[in-house]
């Protein structure tokens, strides 16, 4: 396997959205450039990925690939990855590519906000990284505002070959086949015959505390959300539920 790494600005930089779009154009899904060329068409690698890791401090832009267990030409695969990285610095991405990637990113952001846990993680992340959760309400607009010229500009700025660090892990056939593990390791610990008692040893429940968790004397009844049904022109039946959310 191998990887090419570049330094990029921290999370919250004005180029953050364009860098995320760039990463998805290169390797975001089977329709992306490198997935189609290196994995599906030429089969130079088993798998690959490109990621824009934007952190609180300086971030990293990574492009890497995993070679087959046997066979394959790592030099050719590495050269092909470098060619894609160089091409995106020379040529403006097409409107079709940009629209496809924007839809992917926006879909991911919307899906993340559909659950309580997703909303909490989003709000907490922006509160910690930017000092206010209000930034979460502007993320969709930031991605929608990315242009093809923005993608070309950040590629030229940050994917400079002179600033790249290339990491190569040489193949070890025996290690790949065996996984570096003993096929039948010995068990050194005595098996437990009984479940451990609840609580911690030496800690007693304070006097007056109930032995069981308190129950809600007036539980909230489940309310069926309002929904609408319909049929699309192709005959598919759909159910639409109105969702009201702060994110």
């Amino acid at each position: 396997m191998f990887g090419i790494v570049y330094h990029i600005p921290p999370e919250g930089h004005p180029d953050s959205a364009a860098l995320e779009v760039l990463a998805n154009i290169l390797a975001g899904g089977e329709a992306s450039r490198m997935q189609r060329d290196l994995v599906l068409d030429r089969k130079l690698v088993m798998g690959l990925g490109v990621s824009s890791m934007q952190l609180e401090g300086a971030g990293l832009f990574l492009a890497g690939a995993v070679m087959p267990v046997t066979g394959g030409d790592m030099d050719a695969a590495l050269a092909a990855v470098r060619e894609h990285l160089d091409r995106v610095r020379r040529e403006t991405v097409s409107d079709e590519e940009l629209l496809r990637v924007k839809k992917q990113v926006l879909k991911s952001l919307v899906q993340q906000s559909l659950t309580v846990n997703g909303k909490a993680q989003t709000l907490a992340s922006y509160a910690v990284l930017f000092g206010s959760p209000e930034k979460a309400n502007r993320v969709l607009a930031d991605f929608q505002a990315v242009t093809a010229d923005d993608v070309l500009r950040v590629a030229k700025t940050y994917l400079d070959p002179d600033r790249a660090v290339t990491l190569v892990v040489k193949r070890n056939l025996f290690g790949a086949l065996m996984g570096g593990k003993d096929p039948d390791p010995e068990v050194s610990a005595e098996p437990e015959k009984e479940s451990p008692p609840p609580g911690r040893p030496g800690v007693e429940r304070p006097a007056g505390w109930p032995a069981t968790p308190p129950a809600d004397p007036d539980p909230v009844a489940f309310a069926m959300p309002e929904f609408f049904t319909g049929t699309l022109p192709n005959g598919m039946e759909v159910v639409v539920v109105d969702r009201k959310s702060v994110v």
Side-chain angles (χ1 to χ4, degrees):
M1 63 183 294
F2 61 85
I4 304 175
V5 187
Y6 307 85
H7 275 293
I8 58 174
E11 181 73 54
H13 190 275
D15 290 337
S16 295
L19 284 165
E20 186 68 28
V21 171
L22 172 60
N24 280 274
I25 285 174
L26 289 171
E30 292 186 355
S32 63
R33 294 182 175 187
M34 293 170 62
Q35 290 284 359
R36 288 200 318 266
D37 181 28
L38 275 68
V39 179
L40 300 177
D41 294 343
R42 290 197 276 173
K43 297 179 173 56
L44 292 176
V45 298
M46 287 181 59
L48 58 84
V50 177
S51 175
S52 175
M53 293 181 58
Q54 297 162 39
L55 310 174
E56 190 172 3
L60 297 173
F61 193 95
L62 305 95
V66 178
M67 300 299 297
V69 175
T70 59
D73 187 338
M74 183 176 293
D75 291 337
L78 185 56
V81 169
R82 285 174 172 156
E83 170 56 28
H84 276 282
L85 295 172
D86 185 57
R87 176 190 169 195
V88 83
R89 299 181 72 245
R90 300 191 315 263
E91 304 173 3
T92 304
V93 300
S94 67
D95 293 338
E96 181 181 356
E97 281 183 301
L98 185 61
L99 179 60
R100 175 183 60 80
V101 168
K102 279 188 177 182
K103 288 181 178 180
Q104 285 182 337
V105 174
L106 296 177
K107 175 185 175 183
S108 176
L109 292 172
V110 171
Q111 286 181 329
Q112 186 177 358
S113 68
L114 294 181
T115 65
V116 174
N117 182 59
K119 294 183 179 71
Q121 288 185 341
T122 300
L123 294 174
S125 296
Y126 284 103
V128 171
L129 295 174
F130 306 108
S132 171
E134 194 274 334
K135 168 70 175 175
N137 294 323
R138 302 199 301 270
V139 176
L140 292 178
D142 290 345
F143 279 103
Q144 289 173 330
V146 174
T147 65
D149 289 337
D150 291 331
V151 176
L152 180 63
R153 176 180 53 79
V154 296
K156 287 182 176 180
T157 302
Y158 302 110
L159 305 190
D160 185 347
D162 294 334
R163 300 172 55 192
V165 176
T166 302
L167 309 174
V168 176
V169 179
K170 294 183 178 180
R171 180 162 45 206
N172 182 325
L173 181 57
F174 178 78
L177 295 176
M178 298 299 296
K181 299 180 180 179
D182 187 339
D184 189 19
E186 295 183 0
V187 178
S188 59
E190 291 290 336
E192 291 185 353
K193 297 181 180 179
E194 297 180 0
S195 300
R200 291 177 291 175
V203 178
E204 297 182 359
R205 183 181 296 273
W209 279 35
T212 57
D216 188 351
D218 187 18
V220 179
F222 173 75
M224 176 65 71
E226 183 178 359
F227 64 91
F228 308 92
T229 61
T231 303
L232 299 179
N234 61 2
M236 178 183 293
E237 295 184 358
V238 296
V239 178
V240 180
V241 180
D242 185 22
R243 301 182 65 94
K244 297 179 174 64
S245 172
V246 297
V247 178

